[in-house]
Amino acid sequence: MDSADDVRFTHTVLAAHDPAAGRVVVHPTVGGGDRLLWHDILHAVADGRPLRAPSCAARGTAFAQERSAHAALKAAAVRRSTVLRAHRIGWGVRADLVALHCTAPAAQT
């Protein structure tokens, strides 16, 4: 969190993270030039467990990264995903989120 975060709101949203119940909260990696959204989604779905294919998520093509994230969301039966601090992400990641919203079975918030 940073000083501009609403602590109560952030804690409330993070408390809703429960992949077993079909709810994930993604805390995106902000900054740099890297678009790590797919890797962040995989980590949120994994909920602390080791990723099966971290190299694909971190270094694969954009298409392979997106495919991995979609497969993880589907396999985990995620029905709702929330992205924290979405206002701080770049336009490329925003476009990726819109594409995910349009193509993934989860209800994106």
PDB file of all heavy atoms in Angstrom, residues 62-94:
ATOM      1  N   ALA A  62       3.023 -12.776 -25.279  1.00  0.00           N
ATOM      2  CA  ALA A  62       1.815 -12.187 -24.698  1.00  0.00           C
ATOM      3  C   ALA A  62       0.638 -13.153 -24.839  1.00  0.00           C
ATOM      4  O   ALA A  62      -0.167 -13.310 -23.918  1.00  0.00           O
ATOM      5  CB  ALA A  62       1.495 -10.854 -25.361  1.00  0.00           C
ATOM      6  N   PHE A  63       0.553 -13.827 -25.989  1.00  0.00           N
ATOM      7  CA  PHE A  63      -0.535 -14.777 -26.208  1.00  0.00           C
ATOM      8  C   PHE A  63      -0.437 -15.950 -25.239  1.00  0.00           C
ATOM      9  O   PHE A  63      -1.448 -16.366 -24.654  1.00  0.00           O
ATOM     10  CB  PHE A  63      -0.515 -15.279 -27.652  1.00  0.00           C
ATOM     11  CG  PHE A  63      -1.583 -16.278 -27.939  1.00  0.00           C
ATOM     12  CD1 PHE A  63      -2.911 -15.896 -28.045  1.00  0.00           C
ATOM     13  CD2 PHE A  63      -1.263 -17.617 -28.091  1.00  0.00           C
ATOM     14  CE1 PHE A  63      -3.909 -16.825 -28.286  1.00  0.00           C
ATOM     15  CE2 PHE A  63      -2.249 -18.556 -28.339  1.00  0.00           C
ATOM     16  CZ  PHE A  63      -3.577 -18.159 -28.446  1.00  0.00           C
ATOM     17  N   ALA A  64       0.775 -16.477 -25.032  1.00  0.00           N
ATOM     18  CA  ALA A  64       0.958 -17.608 -24.110  1.00  0.00           C
ATOM     19  C   ALA A  64       0.642 -17.196 -22.680  1.00  0.00           C
ATOM     20  O   ALA A  64       0.032 -17.957 -21.922  1.00  0.00           O
ATOM     21  CB  ALA A  64       2.380 -18.144 -24.200  1.00  0.00           C
ATOM     22  N   GLN A  65       1.030 -15.988 -22.291  1.00  0.00           N
ATOM     23  CA  GLN A  65       0.734 -15.488 -20.948  1.00  0.00           C
ATOM     24  C   GLN A  65      -0.770 -15.363 -20.753  1.00  0.00           C
ATOM     25  O   GLN A  65      -1.308 -15.789 -19.733  1.00  0.00           O
ATOM     26  CB  GLN A  65       1.394 -14.132 -20.728  1.00  0.00           C
ATOM     27  CG  GLN A  65       2.895 -14.178 -20.663  1.00  0.00           C
ATOM     28  CD  GLN A  65       3.496 -12.793 -20.558  1.00  0.00           C
ATOM     29  OE1 GLN A  65       2.784 -11.815 -20.354  1.00  0.00           O
ATOM     30  NE2 GLN A  65       4.794 -12.707 -20.692  1.00  0.00           N
ATOM     31  N   GLU A  66      -1.429 -14.782 -21.736  1.00  0.00           N
ATOM     32  CA  GLU A  66      -2.887 -14.614 -21.645  1.00  0.00           C
ATOM     33  C   GLU A  66      -3.576 -15.973 -21.572  1.00  0.00           C
ATOM     34  O   GLU A  66      -4.484 -16.177 -20.769  1.00  0.00           O
ATOM     35  CB  GLU A  66      -3.391 -13.827 -22.845  1.00  0.00           C
ATOM     36  CG  GLU A  66      -4.883 -13.578 -22.815  1.00  0.00           C
ATOM     37  CD  GLU A  66      -5.360 -12.778 -24.000  1.00  0.00           C
ATOM     38  OE1 GLU A  66      -4.545 -12.352 -24.838  1.00  0.00           O
ATOM     39  OE2 GLU A  66      -6.584 -12.580 -24.090  1.00  0.00           O
ATOM     40  N   ARG A  67      -3.134 -16.908 -22.397  1.00  0.00           N
ATOM     41  CA  ARG A  67      -3.731 -18.251 -22.405  1.00  0.00           C
ATOM     42  C   ARG A  67      -3.556 -18.935 -21.050  1.00  0.00           C
ATOM     43  O   ARG A  67      -4.462 -19.598 -20.549  1.00  0.00           O
ATOM     44  CB  ARG A  67      -3.117 -19.075 -23.529  1.00  0.00           C
ATOM     45  CG  ARG A  67      -3.909 -20.325 -23.821  1.00  0.00           C
ATOM     46  CD  ARG A  67      -3.420 -21.020 -25.050  1.00  0.00           C
ATOM     47  NE  ARG A  67      -2.073 -21.527 -24.787  1.00  0.00           N
ATOM     48  CZ  ARG A  67      -1.139 -21.664 -25.708  1.00  0.00           C
ATOM     49  NH1 ARG A  67      -1.379 -21.336 -26.946  1.00  0.00           N
ATOM     50  NH2 ARG A  67       0.051 -22.126 -25.383  1.00  0.00           N
ATOM     51  N   SER A  68      -2.383 -18.761 -20.428  1.00  0.00           N
ATOM     52  CA  SER A  68      -2.136 -19.343 -19.103  1.00  0.00           C
ATOM     53  C   SER A  68      -3.078 -18.755 -18.064  1.00  0.00           C
ATOM     54  O   SER A  68      -3.625 -19.467 -17.229  1.00  0.00           O
ATOM     55  CB  SER A  68      -0.687 -19.096 -18.671  1.00  0.00           C
ATOM     56  OG  SER A  68       0.204 -19.777 -19.499  1.00  0.00           O
ATOM     57  N   ALA A  69      -3.267 -17.439 -18.111  1.00  0.00           N
ATOM     58  CA  ALA A  69      -4.160 -16.783 -17.151  1.00  0.00           C
ATOM     59  C   ALA A  69      -5.600 -17.251 -17.341  1.00  0.00           C
ATOM     60  O   ALA A  69      -6.294 -17.549 -16.365  1.00  0.00           O
ATOM     61  CB  ALA A  69      -4.067 -15.267 -17.282  1.00  0.00           C
ATOM     62  N   HIS A  70      -6.050 -17.333 -18.588  1.00  0.00           N
ATOM     63  CA  HIS A  70      -7.407 -17.816 -18.853  1.00  0.00           C
ATOM     64  C   HIS A  70      -7.590 -19.236 -18.353  1.00  0.00           C
ATOM     65  O   HIS A  70      -8.610 -19.553 -17.734  1.00  0.00           O
ATOM     66  CB  HIS A  70      -7.712 -17.756 -20.353  1.00  0.00           C
ATOM     67  CG  HIS A  70      -8.096 -16.415 -20.844  1.00  0.00           C
ATOM     68  ND1 HIS A  70      -9.385 -16.036 -21.064  1.00  0.00           N
ATOM     69  CD2 HIS A  70      -7.338 -15.342 -21.145  1.00  0.00           C
ATOM     70  CE1 HIS A  70      -9.423 -14.794 -21.488  1.00  0.00           C
ATOM     71  NE2 HIS A  70      -8.177 -14.338 -21.543  1.00  0.00           N
ATOM     72  N   ALA A  71      -6.615 -20.097 -18.617  1.00  0.00           N
ATOM     73  CA  ALA A  71      -6.705 -21.489 -18.174  1.00  0.00           C
ATOM     74  C   ALA A  71      -6.742 -21.579 -16.657  1.00  0.00           C
ATOM     75  O   ALA A  71      -7.506 -22.371 -16.096  1.00  0.00           O
ATOM     76  CB  ALA A  71      -5.528 -22.284 -18.730  1.00  0.00           C
ATOM     77  N   ALA A  72      -5.941 -20.762 -15.979  1.00  0.00           N
ATOM     78  CA  ALA A  72      -5.922 -20.785 -14.513  1.00  0.00           C
ATOM     79  C   ALA A  72      -7.257 -20.314 -13.948  1.00  0.00           C
ATOM     80  O   ALA A  72      -7.781 -20.907 -13.000  1.00  0.00           O
ATOM     81  CB  ALA A  72      -4.785 -19.910 -13.991  1.00  0.00           C
ATOM     82  N   LEU A  73      -7.817 -19.252 -14.518  1.00  0.00           N
ATOM     83  CA  LEU A  73      -9.120 -18.760 -14.049  1.00  0.00           C
ATOM     84  C   LEU A  73     -10.200 -19.814 -14.251  1.00  0.00           C
ATOM     85  O   LEU A  73     -11.036 -20.030 -13.369  1.00  0.00           O
ATOM     86  CB  LEU A  73      -9.495 -17.469 -14.780  1.00  0.00           C
ATOM     87  CG  LEU A  73      -8.682 -16.235 -14.412  1.00  0.00           C
ATOM     88  CD1 LEU A  73      -8.942 -15.108 -15.412  1.00  0.00           C
ATOM     89  CD2 LEU A  73      -9.004 -15.777 -13.006  1.00  0.00           C
ATOM     90  N   LYS A  74     -10.172 -20.465 -15.391  1.00  0.00           N
ATOM     91  CA  LYS A  74     -11.170 -21.498 -15.677  1.00  0.00           C
ATOM     92  C   LYS A  74     -10.996 -22.704 -14.766  1.00  0.00           C
ATOM     93  O   LYS A  74     -11.960 -23.205 -14.181  1.00  0.00           O
ATOM     94  CB  LYS A  74     -11.083 -21.921 -17.136  1.00  0.00           C
ATOM     95  CG  LYS A  74     -12.140 -22.910 -17.534  1.00  0.00           C
ATOM     96  CD  LYS A  74     -12.072 -23.218 -19.007  1.00  0.00           C
ATOM     97  CE  LYS A  74     -13.165 -24.220 -19.374  1.00  0.00           C
ATOM     98  NZ  LYS A  74     -13.142 -24.527 -20.806  1.00  0.00           N
ATOM     99  N   ALA A  75      -9.755 -23.177 -14.610  1.00  0.00           N
ATOM    100  CA  ALA A  75      -9.493 -24.357 -13.777  1.00  0.00           C
ATOM    101  C   ALA A  75      -9.854 -24.106 -12.324  1.00  0.00           C
ATOM    102  O   ALA A  75     -10.322 -25.011 -11.634  1.00  0.00           O
ATOM    103  CB  ALA A  75      -8.019 -24.756 -13.887  1.00  0.00           C
ATOM    104  N   ALA A  76      -9.659 -22.886 -11.860  1.00  0.00           N
ATOM    105  CA  ALA A  76      -9.970 -22.555 -10.465  1.00  0.00           C
ATOM    106  C   ALA A  76     -11.440 -22.178 -10.279  1.00  0.00           C
ATOM    107  O   ALA A  76     -11.860 -21.903  -9.163  1.00  0.00           O
ATOM    108  CB  ALA A  76      -9.078 -21.409  -9.991  1.00  0.00           C
ATOM    109  N   ALA A  77     -12.204 -22.180 -11.364  1.00  0.00           N
ATOM    110  CA  ALA A  77     -13.628 -21.817 -11.323  1.00  0.00           C
ATOM    111  C   ALA A  77     -13.837 -20.445 -10.690  1.00  0.00           C
ATOM    112  O   ALA A  77     -14.742 -20.250  -9.887  1.00  0.00           O
ATOM    113  CB  ALA A  77     -14.440 -22.892 -10.604  1.00  0.00           C
ATOM    114  N   VAL A  78     -13.006 -19.496 -11.105  1.00  0.00           N
ATOM    115  CA  VAL A  78     -13.115 -18.130 -10.587  1.00  0.00           C
ATOM    116  C   VAL A  78     -14.341 -17.478 -11.201  1.00  0.00           C
ATOM    117  O   VAL A  78     -14.508 -17.447 -12.418  1.00  0.00           O
ATOM    118  CB  VAL A  78     -11.837 -17.315 -10.903  1.00  0.00           C
ATOM    119  CG1 VAL A  78     -12.016 -15.855 -10.529  1.00  0.00           C
ATOM    120  CG2 VAL A  78     -10.654 -17.915 -10.172  1.00  0.00           C
ATOM    121  N   ARG A  79     -15.211 -16.974 -10.332  1.00  0.00           N
ATOM    122  CA  ARG A  79     -16.421 -16.307 -10.782  1.00  0.00           C
ATOM    123  C   ARG A  79     -16.322 -14.782 -10.663  1.00  0.00           C
ATOM    124  O   ARG A  79     -17.058 -14.063 -11.293  1.00  0.00           O
ATOM    125  CB  ARG A  79     -17.619 -16.798  -9.976  1.00  0.00           C
ATOM    126  CG  ARG A  79     -17.926 -18.262 -10.200  1.00  0.00           C
ATOM    127  CD  ARG A  79     -19.151 -18.721  -9.428  1.00  0.00           C
ATOM    128  NE  ARG A  79     -19.196 -18.306  -8.040  1.00  0.00           N
ATOM    129  CZ  ARG A  79     -18.584 -18.906  -7.034  1.00  0.00           C
ATOM    130  NH1 ARG A  79     -17.839 -19.964  -7.263  1.00  0.00           N
ATOM    131  NH2 ARG A  79     -18.696 -18.471  -5.804  1.00  0.00           N
ATOM    132  N   ARG A  80     -15.421 -14.309  -9.821  1.00  0.00           N
ATOM    133  CA  ARG A  80     -15.267 -12.865  -9.646  1.00  0.00           C
ATOM    134  C   ARG A  80     -13.798 -12.556  -9.425  1.00  0.00           C
ATOM    135  O   ARG A  80     -13.140 -13.183  -8.608  1.00  0.00           O
ATOM    136  CB  ARG A  80     -16.068 -12.363  -8.456  1.00  0.00           C
ATOM    137  CG  ARG A  80     -15.819 -10.883  -8.189  1.00  0.00           C
ATOM    138  CD  ARG A  80     -16.767 -10.247  -7.211  1.00  0.00           C
ATOM    139  NE  ARG A  80     -18.149 -10.307  -7.589  1.00  0.00           N
ATOM    140  CZ  ARG A  80     -18.737  -9.507  -8.493  1.00  0.00           C
ATOM    141  NH1 ARG A  80     -18.046  -8.620  -9.123  1.00  0.00           N
ATOM    142  NH2 ARG A  80     -20.018  -9.619  -8.736  1.00  0.00           N
ATOM    143  N   SER A  81     -13.308 -11.597 -10.184  1.00  0.00           N
ATOM    144  CA  SER A  81     -11.942 -11.123  -9.965  1.00  0.00           C
ATOM    145  C   SER A  81     -11.970  -9.610  -9.826  1.00  0.00           C
ATOM    146  O   SER A  81     -12.696  -8.928 -10.531  1.00  0.00           O
ATOM    147  CB  SER A  81     -11.004 -11.564 -11.093  1.00  0.00           C
ATOM    148  OG  SER A  81     -11.424 -11.038 -12.318  1.00  0.00           O
ATOM    149  N   THR A  82     -11.192  -9.141  -8.897  1.00  0.00           N
ATOM    150  CA  THR A  82     -11.103  -7.713  -8.616  1.00  0.00           C
ATOM    151  C   THR A  82      -9.648  -7.305  -8.746  1.00  0.00           C
ATOM    152  O   THR A  82      -8.763  -7.979  -8.224  1.00  0.00           O
ATOM    153  CB  THR A  82     -11.602  -7.411  -7.183  1.00  0.00           C
ATOM    154  OG1 THR A  82     -12.933  -7.911  -7.052  1.00  0.00           O
ATOM    155  CG2 THR A  82     -11.577  -5.933  -6.891  1.00  0.00           C
ATOM    156  N   VAL A  83      -9.409  -6.203  -9.437  1.00  0.00           N
ATOM    157  CA  VAL A  83      -8.049  -5.694  -9.606  1.00  0.00           C
ATOM    158  C   VAL A  83      -7.912  -4.442  -8.755  1.00  0.00           C
ATOM    159  O   VAL A  83      -8.595  -3.451  -8.982  1.00  0.00           O
ATOM    160  CB  VAL A  83      -7.753  -5.382 -11.083  1.00  0.00           C
ATOM    161  CG1 VAL A  83      -6.345  -4.795 -11.231  1.00  0.00           C
ATOM    162  CG2 VAL A  83      -7.911  -6.621 -11.938  1.00  0.00           C
ATOM    163  N   LEU A  84      -7.025  -4.531  -7.770  1.00  0.00           N
ATOM    164  CA  LEU A  84      -6.754  -3.374  -6.919  1.00  0.00           C
ATOM    165  C   LEU A  84      -5.929  -2.347  -7.677  1.00  0.00           C
ATOM    166  O   LEU A  84      -5.120  -2.708  -8.532  1.00  0.00           O
ATOM    167  CB  LEU A  84      -5.966  -3.797  -5.684  1.00  0.00           C
ATOM    168  CG  LEU A  84      -6.757  -4.392  -4.535  1.00  0.00           C
ATOM    169  CD1 LEU A  84      -5.810  -4.870  -3.455  1.00  0.00           C
ATOM    170  CD2 LEU A  84      -7.731  -3.385  -3.972  1.00  0.00           C
ATOM    171  N   ARG A  85      -6.119  -1.108  -7.344  1.00  0.00           N
ATOM    172  CA  ARG A  85      -5.313  -0.009  -7.858  1.00  0.00           C
ATOM    173  C   ARG A  85      -5.282   0.041  -9.380  1.00  0.00           C
ATOM    174  O   ARG A  85      -4.288   0.404  -9.986  1.00  0.00           O
ATOM    175  CB  ARG A  85      -3.900  -0.093  -7.297  1.00  0.00           C
ATOM    176  CG  ARG A  85      -3.892  -0.138  -5.772  1.00  0.00           C
ATOM    177  CD  ARG A  85      -2.545  -0.351  -5.201  1.00  0.00           C
ATOM    178  NE  ARG A  85      -1.944   0.961  -5.018  1.00  0.00           N
ATOM    179  CZ  ARG A  85      -0.639   1.163  -4.986  1.00  0.00           C
ATOM    180  NH1 ARG A  85       0.178   0.169  -5.119  1.00  0.00           N
ATOM    181  NH2 ARG A  85      -0.174   2.365  -4.828  1.00  0.00           N
ATOM    182  N   ALA A  86      -6.402  -0.310  -9.998  1.00  0.00           N
ATOM    183  CA  ALA A  86      -6.465  -0.321 -11.460  1.00  0.00           C
ATOM    184  C   ALA A  86      -6.220   1.065 -12.045  1.00  0.00           C
ATOM    185  O   ALA A  86      -5.761   1.183 -13.178  1.00  0.00           O
ATOM    186  CB  ALA A  86      -7.810  -0.864 -11.921  1.00  0.00           C
ATOM    187  N   HIS A  87      -6.483   2.091 -11.280  1.00  0.00           N
ATOM    188  CA  HIS A  87      -6.247   3.449 -11.773  1.00  0.00           C
ATOM    189  C   HIS A  87      -4.760   3.761 -11.944  1.00  0.00           C
ATOM    190  O   HIS A  87      -4.400   4.723 -12.603  1.00  0.00           O
ATOM    191  CB  HIS A  87      -6.880   4.467 -10.820  1.00  0.00           C
ATOM    192  CG  HIS A  87      -6.239   4.506  -9.467  1.00  0.00           C
ATOM    193  ND1 HIS A  87      -6.411   3.487  -8.548  1.00  0.00           N
ATOM    194  CD2 HIS A  87      -5.400   5.414  -8.903  1.00  0.00           C
ATOM    195  CE1 HIS A  87      -5.717   3.783  -7.457  1.00  0.00           C
ATOM    196  NE2 HIS A  87      -5.098   4.938  -7.640  1.00  0.00           N
ATOM    197  N   ARG A  88      -3.887   2.940 -11.390  1.00  0.00           N
ATOM    198  CA  ARG A  88      -2.438   3.172 -11.461  1.00  0.00           C
ATOM    199  C   ARG A  88      -1.752   2.386 -12.575  1.00  0.00           C
ATOM    200  O   ARG A  88      -0.556   2.507 -12.747  1.00  0.00           O
ATOM    201  CB  ARG A  88      -1.782   2.783 -10.132  1.00  0.00           C
ATOM    202  CG  ARG A  88      -2.342   3.423  -8.890  1.00  0.00           C
ATOM    203  CD  ARG A  88      -1.752   4.767  -8.543  1.00  0.00           C
ATOM    204  NE  ARG A  88      -0.330   4.908  -8.678  1.00  0.00           N
ATOM    205  CZ  ARG A  88       0.550   4.796  -7.698  1.00  0.00           C
ATOM    206  NH1 ARG A  88       0.151   4.522  -6.478  1.00  0.00           N
ATOM    207  NH2 ARG A  88       1.835   4.985  -7.927  1.00  0.00           N
ATOM    208  N   ILE A  89      -2.495   1.572 -13.302  1.00  0.00           N
ATOM    209  CA  ILE A  89      -1.864   0.749 -14.334  1.00  0.00           C
ATOM    210  C   ILE A  89      -1.870   1.482 -15.669  1.00  0.00           C
ATOM    211  O   ILE A  89      -2.663   2.383 -15.907  1.00  0.00           O
ATOM    212  CB  ILE A  89      -2.549  -0.630 -14.456  1.00  0.00           C
ATOM    213  CG1 ILE A  89      -4.011  -0.484 -14.808  1.00  0.00           C
ATOM    214  CG2 ILE A  89      -2.376  -1.435 -13.190  1.00  0.00           C
ATOM    215  CD1 ILE A  89      -4.744  -1.787 -15.001  1.00  0.00           C
ATOM    216  N   GLY A  90      -0.982   1.068 -16.548  1.00  0.00           N
ATOM    217  CA  GLY A  90      -0.854   1.711 -17.849  1.00  0.00           C
ATOM    218  C   GLY A  90      -1.948   1.288 -18.819  1.00  0.00           C
ATOM    219  O   GLY A  90      -2.716   0.366 -18.566  1.00  0.00           O
ATOM    220  N   TRP A  91      -1.960   1.972 -19.958  1.00  0.00           N
ATOM    221  CA  TRP A  91      -2.999   1.727 -20.957  1.00  0.00           C
ATOM    222  C   TRP A  91      -2.904   0.332 -21.568  1.00  0.00           C
ATOM    223  O   TRP A  91      -3.920  -0.269 -21.893  1.00  0.00           O
ATOM    224  CB  TRP A  91      -2.962   2.796 -22.042  1.00  0.00           C
ATOM    225  CG  TRP A  91      -3.442   4.108 -21.523  1.00  0.00           C
ATOM    226  CD1 TRP A  91      -2.677   5.202 -21.246  1.00  0.00           C
ATOM    227  CD2 TRP A  91      -4.772   4.446 -21.160  1.00  0.00           C
ATOM    228  NE1 TRP A  91      -3.459   6.209 -20.738  1.00  0.00           N
ATOM    229  CE2 TRP A  91      -4.762   5.777 -20.675  1.00  0.00           C
ATOM    230  CE3 TRP A  91      -5.986   3.767 -21.184  1.00  0.00           C
ATOM    231  CZ2 TRP A  91      -5.907   6.420 -20.235  1.00  0.00           C
ATOM    232  CZ3 TRP A  91      -7.137   4.424 -20.745  1.00  0.00           C
ATOM    233  CH2 TRP A  91      -7.083   5.729 -20.283  1.00  0.00           C
ATOM    234  N   GLY A  92      -1.700  -0.191 -21.720  1.00  0.00           N
ATOM    235  CA  GLY A  92      -1.558  -1.538 -22.277  1.00  0.00           C
ATOM    236  C   GLY A  92      -2.192  -2.580 -21.378  1.00  0.00           C
ATOM    237  O   GLY A  92      -2.879  -3.482 -21.833  1.00  0.00           O
ATOM    238  N   VAL A  93      -1.972  -2.443 -20.069  1.00  0.00           N
ATOM    239  CA  VAL A  93      -2.552  -3.383 -19.111  1.00  0.00           C
ATOM    240  C   VAL A  93      -4.068  -3.187 -19.055  1.00  0.00           C
ATOM    241  O   VAL A  93      -4.826  -4.152 -18.949  1.00  0.00           O
ATOM    242  CB  VAL A  93      -1.909  -3.229 -17.718  1.00  0.00           C
ATOM    243  CG1 VAL A  93      -2.585  -4.110 -16.699  1.00  0.00           C
ATOM    244  CG2 VAL A  93      -0.426  -3.551 -17.792  1.00  0.00           C
ATOM    245  N   ARG A  94      -4.508  -1.941 -19.148  1.00  0.00           N
ATOM    246  CA  ARG A  94      -5.960  -1.698 -19.185  1.00  0.00           C
ATOM    247  C   ARG A  94      -6.593  -2.403 -20.379  1.00  0.00           C
ATOM    248  O   ARG A  94      -7.663  -3.004 -20.255  1.00  0.00           O
ATOM    249  CB  ARG A  94      -6.268  -0.205 -19.256  1.00  0.00           C
ATOM    250  CG  ARG A  94      -6.060   0.495 -17.963  1.00  0.00           C
ATOM    251  CD  ARG A  94      -6.362   1.974 -18.119  1.00  0.00           C
ATOM    252  NE  ARG A  94      -5.879   2.704 -16.973  1.00  0.00           N
ATOM    253  CZ  ARG A  94      -6.655   3.397 -16.168  1.00  0.00           C
ATOM    254  NH1 ARG A  94      -7.944   3.477 -16.390  1.00  0.00           N
ATOM    255  NH2 ARG A  94      -6.144   4.022 -15.141  1.00  0.00           N
TER     256      ARG A  94
END
